[in-house]
């Protein structure tokens, strides 16, 4: 599944009879970020929109650890523990 854009893509309009025949294809389009308005007799009655995806921030692992180590330096006991584990392998 593709990542969704921040805002839905401008709406397409589909008559309800066509929506009933092609719901699976419409859902595929919505999953890519498109918003689809369903009409009955030319009057809008429903809107298919993508479900918002949670925003997952960049994983704060490696670069934050390096920043911390640059600022505070390694703890000598911790460094010795790491050396010991590495040497045991």
């Amino acid at each position: 599944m593709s990542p969704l854009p921040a805002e839905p893509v401008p709406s397409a309009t589909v008559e309800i009879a066509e929506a009933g025949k092609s719901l699976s294809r419409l859902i595929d389009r919505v999953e890519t970020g498109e918003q689809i308005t369903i009409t009955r007799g030319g009057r809008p009655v429903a809107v298919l929109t993508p479900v918002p995806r949670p925003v997952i921030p960049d994983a704060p692992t490696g670069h934050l650890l390096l920043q911390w180590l640059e600022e505070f330096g390694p703890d000598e006991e911790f460094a010795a523990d790491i050396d010991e584990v590495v040497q045991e392998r």
Side-chain angles (χ1 to χ4, degrees), residues 1-83:
M1 187 180 309
S2 313
L4 294 175
E7 295 293 320
V9 174
S11 180
T13 301
V14 178
E15 190 61 36
I16 196 164
E18 179 59 32
K21 294 178 200 172
S22 60
L23 184 59
S24 180
R25 286 192 306 262
L26 293 175
I27 297 297
D28 289 344
R29 290 169 58 183
V30 169
E31 284 183 321
T32 67
E34 189 173 351
Q35 181 174 314
I36 299 173
T37 301
I38 298 174
T39 61
R40 176 181 286 149
R43 184 177 55 90
V45 294
V47 178
L48 296 175
T49 60
V51 174
R53 302 265 192 253
V55 176
I56 300 172
D58 293 337
T61 51
H63 74 281
L64 290 179
L65 177 59
L66 289 175
Q67 285 176 343
W68 188 88
L69 287 173
E70 287 172 1
E71 185 172 342
F72 299 105
D75 175 279
E76 291 189 26
E77 287 181 33
F78 177 74
D81 290 343
I82 295 297
D83 284 341

